[in-house]
Amino acid sequence: MGFRSVRGGEALRCLYSLDNIEGCGFGPNCKICGVRNTVLDTFKTGKPHYLAEAALPFKIDGKMTILDLNVNTVPLEVMGKRLVLVSIDNITKLKNTERELIQNKDILNERLKELNCLTKLSNLATQHGITLDKLFRETVKLMQLSWQYPEITRSRIIFGTKEYKSRDFKVTKWKQSSDIRIEGKKGGTAEVYYLKKMPVAEEGPFLKEER
């Protein structure tokens, strides 16, 4: 059996082609297949596509693996019959590198936010004549701005019998807290809350560095 007698997904051994007994093009995921839709668009419009991105599942070393692909199509006419020439490149390593760069950029941005917070706290603490009340009020504001999702972050400091809360403060089940210690003894607590559920990080939805 030559390639001309099989559909694209079967020739590529895409796992989606196994979802339906009729093979490639008939499974539930085929409607959103980037390769299939790119080829069909070239058939429909007669326009080529270059570097169209798609992702398909394959079985590699016994495990299902999603590969990132670049799809190129060129319309042809052979003996009066309309055809589409297709070339596909595996760009998985390139896309993984791109994703890592984006992740590292996000991590760097978080570290810069934390450093900025610590710098401002240090400047506050060394201000001549600053009261403890003002220090804690300003610290609560900085905490709210310095966490990963500032728009849904609320913060509170409890010190002795006093509370210092951020604007529109609300207690929720998504909480991160740390003790405030003075000469080794607990004097209060600093708390941060998220107003809604966020993706799981290292401490629930929070980063461990934020503690």
Side-chain angles (χ1 to χ4, degrees):
M1 180 182 290
F3 281 139
R4 286 183 295 176
S5 62
V6 297
R7 295 188 179 94
E10 293 151 6
L12 292 171
R13 297 186 180 179
C14 167
L15 293 182
Y16 287 156
S17 67
L18 304 177
D19 290 343
N20 188 293
I21 193 171
E22 295 189 64
C24 174
F26 294 92
N29 292 295
C30 293
K31 290 182 180 180
I32 58 172
C33 170
V35 175
R36 176 178 181 269
N37 290 337
T38 301
V39 174
L40 289 178
D41 185 75
T42 297
F43 267 118
K44 181 180 178 180
T45 65
K47 295 180 180 179
H49 286 278
Y50 301 103
L51 305 180
E53 292 190 4
L56 292 179
F58 298 90
K59 192 172 184 179
I60 300 175
D61 296 329
K63 297 179 181 179
M64 187 185 84
T65 303
I66 301 294
L67 296 184
D68 294 295
L69 309 170
N70 263 350
V71 185
N72 306 285
T73 60
V74 178
L76 299 174
E77 188 170 323
V78 179
M79 298 179 64
K81 187 175 183 179
R82 292 176 62 209
L83 302 173
V84 174
L85 177 66
V86 183
S87 67
I88 298 175
D89 297 314
N90 182 357
I91 59 167
T92 305
K93 288 183 178 180
L94 179 64
K95 294 299 289 185
N96 285 340
T97 300
E98 181 182 296
R99 285 187 279 263
E100 287 174 9
L101 287 172
I102 292 172
Q103 183 181 24
N104 289 338
K105 181 181 177 182
D106 290 340
I107 292 171
L108 178 59
N109 286 337
E110 290 304 312
R111 298 297 84 77
L112 288 173
K113 281 166 61 178
E114 292 161 11
L115 180 60
N116 185 51
C117 177
L118 291 172
T119 300
K120 288 183 177 180
L121 280 175
S122 178
N123 291 338
L124 277 172
T126 55
Q127 279 185 17
H128 179 70
I130 189 170
T131 65
L132 202 56
D133 276 345
K134 183 176 181 181
L135 177 62
F136 283 148
R137 283 197 302 270
E138 294 301 318
T139 299
V140 162
K141 294 177 185 177
L142 285 173
M143 288 167 60
Q144 183 172 2
L145 296 173
S146 301
W147 258 245
Q148 194 174 6
Y149 307 103
E151 65 279 1
I152 60 157
T153 299
R154 299 296 182 267
S155 52
R156 174 172 68 176
I157 289 176
I158 301 173
F159 190 77
T161 59
K162 292 187 176 183
E163 275 189 333
Y164 305 86
K165 297 183 288 188
S166 63
R167 190 174 181 179
D168 300 324
F169 176 77
K170 182 180 179 181
V171 172
T172 70
K173 62 182 178 180
W174 302 288
K175 172 186 176 183
Q176 189 177 47
S177 65
S178 183
D179 291 344
I180 299 172
R181 295 191 169 273
I182 299 175
E183 295 181 351
K185 296 181 180 180
K186 181 178 176 181
T189 307
E191 301 171 343
V192 169
Y193 296 86
Y194 283 161
L195 297 182
K196 64 181 181 180
K197 184 178 180 181
M198 299 305 289
V200 175
E202 293 151 340
E203 295 186 7
F206 300 98
L207 301 173
K208 64 181 181 181
E209 291 86 358
E210 291 173 328
R211 178 181 294 277

